[in-house]
Amino acid sequence: MSTHAVVRDDDYVIDQNWVGYTADDHAVWDFLYRRQRTILADRADEALLRGHEALNLNRGGIPDFAVINEELKARTGFTVVAVPGLVPDEVFFNHLANRRFPAGQFIRGRHQLDYLQEPDIFHDVFGHVPLLTNPVFADYMEAYGKGGLRALQFGKLKNLAALYWYTVEFGLIETAKGLRIYGAGISSSKDESIFALDAPSPNRLRFDLERVMRTEYRIDDYQQSYFVIRSYEDLIRATLDQDFAPLYQRLADGISHLPEAILPTDQVVTAGTQAYARAKASGEVI
Ligand code: PHE
Ligand code: FE
């Protein structure tokens, strides 16, 4: 979700060209799928795990969009479309507003199994697409797309992007079994899946819409704070069911919170030690 310099006047959709993937590409998918499923078994929200299974994402190799779209469309009306990589914000919002999820066509190579900057097909299809089988979450994503087009008009994209970041990408959810992962940035990452739930370092704070929309975020490292929702219905109530116009007016005061901040008004689930961020800053961790 960032802007490319080249402006094209199309929707950026390309053919997935499934037959063009190599045996190695398929092997990378299978490896990553198995590795993440093992890590996520007791860490991811049921809705995400059931989504992987509903779409049968381990039928062998990289999923063929034509095949998974049949199941996805039947469940929520969403489809996955292939794009070359990141697309301009407006294009991204437009797809979501029309219940299409734009997914990177390419897969990472063997030399970058653990981390890469651009969203590839594993991040997008293993991380994001499974929750689109959930009707409530699907509604949230469509509304987010519409809200994005609106945020552009208000000049408040940065704030809306923070909402995406701390929910769709890095969200945690409270369940009867304890905290669980639902954000795709976490669930598609080997190390952050463990860090986000198990490490003493990060804060885990209750989700509050305005608070989140005022919070800075890091795109190049683990998060210093994660925000915890109680349910997807709660997330919908706080977003889809609210008119953001008054909120955008209030945000004009420009107050922004650091990623590691704990405010007096926060409901703290766990206060982080920030040991990881400190070690990193002093060069102890590379
Ligand atoms: N309700 C928001 C608005 O009025 C739009 C939105 C919905 C944003 C859901 C995010 C998620 O702009
Ligand atoms: Fe993503």
Side-chain angles (χ1 to χ4, degrees), residues 119 123-124 128 164 169 184:
H123 167 80
D124 282 333
H128 288 291
Y164 191 88
E169 295 291 359

Side-chain angles (χ1 to χ4, degrees), residues 237-252:
R237 272 193 288 277
T239 55
L240 201 153
D241 296 348
Q242 307 290 328
D243 176 6
F244 282 16
L247 170 58
Y248 288 143
Q249 299 301 330
R250 285 202 296 283
L251 292 173

Side-chain angles (χ1 to χ4, degrees), residues 64-159:
D64 181 341
F65 293 175
V67 175
I68 60 176
N69 276 342
E70 280 178 40
E71 184 66 34
L72 185 55
K73 200 165 186 174
R75 288 182 182 245
T76 61
F78 251 94
T79 55
V80 192
V81 292
V83 292
L86 290 172
V87 300
D89 297 319
E90 227 184 309
V91 173
F92 180 74
F93 294 144
N94 236 312
H95 281 305
L96 290 183
N98 291 286
R99 293 202 174 232
R100 290 187 300 266
F101 190 85
Q105 186 271 350
F106 72 101
I107 191 154
R108 66 195 71 183
R110 287 198 172 278
H111 55 287
Q112 45 185 356
L113 287 175
D114 297 349
Y115 183 79
L116 79 168
Q117 281 274 345
E118 271 220 279
D120 71 339
I121 196 169
F122 185 74
H123 167 80
D124 282 333
V125 174
F126 182 89
H128 288 291
V129 174
L131 273 180
L132 298 175
T133 60
N134 178 289
V136 180
F137 202 80
D139 284 351
Y140 177 64
M141 292 298 275
E142 179 197 337
Y144 183 87
K146 292 179 173 151
L149 297 169
R150 196 159 180 237
L152 281 171
Q153 287 163 4
F154 279 92
K156 292 284 178 258
L157 195 54
K158 199 177 160 236
N159 301 284

Side-chain angles (χ1 to χ4, degrees), residues 222-241:
Y222 301 144
Q223 301 308 303
Q224 288 170 270
S225 297
Y226 297 91
F227 291 89
V228 182
I229 59 171
R230 289 179 195 275
S231 65
Y232 302 118
E233 285 81 3
D234 256 23
L235 185 57
I236 286 273
R237 272 193 288 277
T239 55
L240 201 153
D241 296 348

Side-chain angles (χ1 to χ4, degrees), residues 34-60:
R34 280 188 206 117
R35 186 172 75 176
Q36 283 314 103
R37 285 281 300 188
T38 304
I39 296 171
L40 294 178
D42 293 317
R43 292 191 175 88
D45 184 36
E46 284 290 311
L48 178 57
L49 296 173
R50 295 295 85 82
H52 293 141
E53 292 151 19
L55 298 175
N56 201 359
L57 295 183
N58 67 335
R59 65 185 92 217

